[in-house]
Structures are given as structure tokens and as C-alpha cells.
Amino acid sequence: MADSAETRKLVYLVTGGCGFLGEHVVRMLLQREPRLYELRVFDLHLGPWLEELKTGPVQVTAIQGDVTQAHEVAAAVAGAHVVIHTAGLVDVFGRASPETIYEVNVQGTKNVIEACVQTGTRFLVYTSSMEVVGPNIKGHPFYRGNEDTPYEAIHRHPYPCSKAQAERLVLEANGRKVHGGLSLVTCALRPTGIYGEGHQIMRDFYHQGLRLGGRLFRAIPASVEHSRVYVGNVAWMHVLVAQELEQRAALMGGQVYFCYDESPYKSYEDFNMEFLGPCGLRLVDTRLLVPYWLLMLLATLNALLQWLLRPLLLYAPLLNPYTLAVANTTFTVSTDKAQRHFGYKPLFSWEDSRTRTIRWVQAVEGSAP
Ligand SMILES: NC(=O)C1=CN([C@@H]2O[C@H](COP(=O)(O)OP(=O)(O)OC[C@H]3O[C@@H](n4cnc5c(N)ncnc54)[C@H](O)[C@@H]3O)[C@@H](O)[C@H]2O)C=CC1
Ligand SMILES: C[C@@H](CO)CCC[C@@H](C)[C@H]1CC[C@H]2[C@@H]3[C@H](O)CC4=CC(=O)CC[C@]4(C)[C@H]3CC[C@]12C
């Protein structure tokens, strides 16, 4: 579409716009939403890279704010046509308290919804998570499931509980009258494990491998498969949903969509090696030496250490009872609902996603751990 002033009339707000996913959503909007007049980037921690975005035709407004503060959210939402709500505390490592996780992920989402209702913003896209579904506390596998697959979604950990509550609030808000008398249209996207440029956990694994002499030790059987999705395709799905939500409100309003692409089903560790292998690391199979019960013991010791050290320092290793259980439970998605409902097709092929991620990891080598 031609870049002309009369086409540029929409105001978007991206909460968490400086996060791993949020930054990709911001950049994707600037590349793929020709109607954009103003892009508001709302985050607790603003990134310096935002400055470079202020030279283009779109007004980029950086807003340092806290989603737990209703008045800050309302001020950021007022006048926006679309809100993409990605802000959240993504903590399965015990860094934040359950109360804080709830405050950000649930109360923060309530604040976003109420701000839309009070100020008259009609379109809300929420970044939910596969964890709303599973793996559940019983370790039941979710094998090639879709949005309609029956599954006992029971959780205890604060993170999946908070995401499930927030998603439910967003879907229940669909159809509420907003200021001005029109209806709020909401939907929730459920990414599986996101990877790509900026993924902190991938960076952590890479630095762990460098510290261990170029080796990572397999803890999870290769047969335990996870779905993973490239961050660029997750960002693209967010933008596409936001663009289609008005025209297809009756079909898409109140719906959930898994985020998916052509990334292969593999165990979490084997999938990571698609990027870490070409960067010089190798995965050593130690499962004969380290049986699962010993892994559980190590994970439990990590949790105990975290609790004992908390008054002195934050000890938050990747391995804890929750992350081990999740990693050790198959969770794969096979669906085309997003394509059927709003014509989604991945923007990045698996080969392109892999190449981009490898290049990023290679660039990470020089960065501080
Ligand atoms: N990383 C993953 O594999 C997956 C992530 N998700 C969801 O995607 C969303 C983004 O996740 P990531 O980009 O991975 O995490 P991230 O931690 O990189 O980004 C979250 C952003 O939210 C901001 N934020 C946190 N608390 C805030 C507050 N009180 N007020 C304002 N901003 C706040 C952070 O500063 C950060 O920039 C989250 O809602 C997460 O639950 C869903 C599925 C998978
Ligand atoms: C046995 C351990 C040492 O090798 C392996 C530890 C791997 C874990 C750190 C990851 C395994 C599965 C990941 C989670 C999964 O991708 C689903 C997620 C969805 C989200 O919404 C946020 C991230 C996460 C919880 C993700 C976090 C890291 C793992 C637990």
C-alpha cells in the first residue's frame, strides 16, 4: 500500500514492547502495518534501541510505565485503536514471588481490559501461552493437540495459573460495551516455546555450554518432543490478528489461537542444539550416568538452595522441579485454526528462522553472559 498521510490513521499500543517478543512485535508493526500513525511502546524498562525508531514516518512514543498501575495503563491506552498486550512476568525460575507474578500477569491484564472499556479502545490482542493448557501437574502428554483437544489443564505453579486467569479475563471481556457504546473485541494467542533473536534462555544455555568446555549434558530423552515457534512468526501472527480483528470480529472475537510455524518437533535440548551445535557446542548423552531420579534430586536441591540463599542472593538456575517436569513432558501442537480464521501463514520458513537464530547466537558470543 502506498505510504501516504491519509492512510496513516491508527494508534497502536504494545505493552511489554521492549521484551523479547515485544520488540519483534514493535518492529513487525512498523514494517507491516501501513495504516500506523502512532505506535506507543509501554514497558517497565524501555530499551535504548527505541530511539532509532523515531526517525521514520510513524510517531513512536516510548512510555515507561507499570501495568499494575491502573492510571498509568489508562493514560497509555486512551486514544489507541488497538492494544497488543504482551507485558508479563515470565518466571518459572523462582525469581519473583507468586504474589508479584499474579499482580503483573493477572491484575495487569485486568487494568488493560478496564482501560480499554473506560477509554473506548475496541481491539485487544493478548499474548497468552501454551502453558495455559499444559503440561499439567499430572505430566500428561499433549501430543499433536489443537485448540479443541480435550486436556485436563490443571496447574499449581504461579506462572501457568496467572496466564490461565489472565486469558480467561480477556476472553470473557469480549463483547463488553466500551466508552462510546461499541463492543470490545478480544482474542488470545498461545505461543509454544518461543525462540529467536533475543531469547535469554538460549543465551543462558550457550554460556553454560561455553563454561563447560563446549559441552551440554542431555537430561531429557530425545523422544520427549516440544513444539517451538520462531519469534518473528509469533510477532507476525500478533500483527495479522490485530489487522483482521475488526473485519472478522464475529469469528475471531473471544477466540484462542496457538502460535505455530514449520519449526520441527524435537526435545527442548535437541531443538536448542539446532542453533548451539553450529556455534560449536555438543550435547553429551549422560542419561545412563544421570538417571531421572538423580535429576529430580538435583532439581530439588536447586529449589532448596534457592530458598536457603534467598535472604542473601538470588539463586535461580535453569533446572528446578518445575522446569524439569515441563521439559520432560511431551507438548506438541498441530493446528491450522489461525490459517482458517484469519489466513495466517508463517512469514519465516524453518530454514530462515534457524539461520537468523544461529547468526544471533554467534553475535552473542562477544556479549557479557
Ligand atoms: N518466551 C516464551 O517462550 C513465551 C512467552 N509467552 C508470553 O509472551 C509474553 C512476552 O514474553 P517474553 O517476551 O518472553 O518475556 P520478556 O520478559 O522478554 O518480556 C516481557 C516484557 O514485559 C515487561 N514487563 C514486565 N512487567 C511489567 C510491568 N509490571 N509493567 C510493564 N511492563 C512489564 C518487561 O519489562 C519485558 O520487557 C509474556 O506475556 C509471556 O507470558 C508465551 C509463550 C511462550
Ligand atoms: C533439564 C533442564 C536442563 O537441561 C532443561 C530445562 C529446560 C527449561 C528451562 C525449559 C523447558 C521447557 C521451557 C518452557 C516451555 O517452552 C513453555 C514456556 C512457555 C512460556 O509461556 C514461558 C516460557 C516457558 C515456561 C518455557 C521456559 C523454559 C522451559 C521450562
Side-chain angles (χ1 to χ4, degrees):
M1 178 184 290
D3 177 7
S4 55
E6 59 268 17
T7 58
R8 292 190 177 281
K9 55 186 181 302
L10 296 186
V11 179
Y12 271 66
L13 168 69
V14 179
T15 72
C18 292
F20 164 43
L21 172 61
E23 180 177 351
H24 286 268
V25 171
V26 165
R27 293 181 186 276
M28 188 66 74
L29 278 168
L30 292 171
Q31 291 163 17
R32 298 269 171 167
E33 177 45 89
R35 302 169 299 169
L36 205 51
Y37 162 73
E38 180 188 6
L39 177 53
R40 298 173 184 170
V41 182
F42 181 95
D43 204 302
L44 204 55
H45 308 294
L46 294 177
W49 53 269
L50 281 171
E51 287 310 307
E52 78 194 35
L53 302 183
K54 295 185 176 181
T55 56
V58 175
Q59 179 185 326
V60 176
T61 309
I63 305 171
Q64 194 281 328
D66 186 341
V67 290
T68 67
Q69 301 303 307
H71 65 286
E72 294 181 11
V73 176
V77 169
H81 296 89
V82 182
V83 174
I84 298 178
H85 177 36
T86 83
L89 210 43
V90 185
D91 182 25
V92 290
F93 306 106
R95 296 191 180 105
S97 67
E99 296 75 18
T100 304
I101 292 171
Y102 177 89
E103 193 61 20
V104 174
N105 294 353
V106 181
Q107 186 57 50
T109 301
K110 281 181 185 173
N111 291 341
V112 169
I113 294 167
E114 291 313 315
C116 290
V117 169
Q118 288 160 21
T119 64
T121 295
R122 290 197 58 214
F123 304 105
L124 170 58
V125 180
Y126 174 59
T127 311
S128 181
S129 170
M130 61 174 261
E131 289 246 307
V132 165
V133 176
N136 64 21
I137 57 171
K138 298 179 178 177
H140 292 161
F142 188 81
Y143 182 78
R144 307 287 197 275
N146 61 44
E147 291 84 352
D148 301 315
T149 301
Y151 185 82
E152 203 179 0
I154 40 177
H155 305 293
R156 279 206 203 95
H157 193 282
Y159 176 72
C161 286
S162 69
K163 294 302 287 186
Q165 291 183 64
E167 180 188 281
R168 189 164 48 250
L169 289 168
V170 168
L171 301 181
E172 288 170 353
N174 185 61
R176 280 183 61 178
K177 293 297 180 214
V178 302
H179 178 73
L182 296 175
S183 297
L184 180 61
V185 186
T186 70
C187 89
L189 300 184
R190 291 173 176 170
T192 55
I194 308 175
Y195 71 93
E197 304 91 311
H199 189 207
Q200 182 57 46
I201 295 172
M202 188 72 69
R203 196 195 313 246
D204 292 345
F205 271 111
Y206 182 56
H207 287 132
Q208 187 180 75
L210 293 178
R211 288 196 297 271
L212 295 171
R215 287 167 300 192
L216 287 170
F217 299 99
R218 178 191 293 281
I220 304 296
S223 58
V224 177
E225 292 182 338
H226 266 227
S227 280
R228 303 289 289 274
V229 62
Y230 177 60
V231 64
N233 288 322
V234 178
W236 170 232
M237 192 183 280
H238 279 73
V239 171
L240 194 56
V241 162
Q243 289 175 333
E244 296 297 326
L245 209 45
E246 182 167 16
Q247 299 305 320
R248 304 177 190 227
L251 176 65
M252 297 173 64
Q255 293 293 321
V256 295
Y257 301 94
F258 276 117
C259 298
Y260 62 90
D261 58 20
E262 297 159 349
S263 302
Y265 301 123
K266 283 180 178 259
S267 79
Y268 197 85
E269 293 169 327
D270 288 297
F271 191 87
N272 288 350
M273 290 311 293
E274 286 285 346
F275 319 107
L276 302 179
C279 294
L281 299 192
R282 62 190 177 89
L283 188 60
V284 179
D285 198 335
T286 58
R287 277 179 305 118
L288 294 177
L289 301 174
V290 183
Y292 190 73
W293 65 265
L294 183 52
L295 264 177
M296 271 306 290
L297 178 63
L298 290 172
T300 306
L301 284 175
N302 275 342
L304 179 61
L305 259 178
Q306 180 179 76
W307 181 76
L308 290 170
L309 293 172
R310 195 172 288 278
L312 304 172
L313 55 91
L314 176 62
Y315 174 66
L318 289 172
L319 177 66
N320 65 50
Y322 183 74
T323 62
L324 180 59
V326 175
N328 206 49
T329 308
T330 285
F331 195 101
T332 52
V333 164
S334 176
T335 181
D336 64 352
K337 183 177 178 184
Q339 182 180 354
R340 285 183 289 110
H341 279 210
F342 52 90
Y344 165 78
K345 286 187 167 49
L347 202 55
F348 302 90
S349 67
W350 158 237
E351 293 72 24
D352 196 8
S353 306
R354 180 174 182 270
T355 301
R356 288 167 178 263
T357 306
I358 290 171
R359 285 187 184 142
W360 172 75
V361 176
Q362 288 167 336
V364 158
E365 186 160 5
S367 67

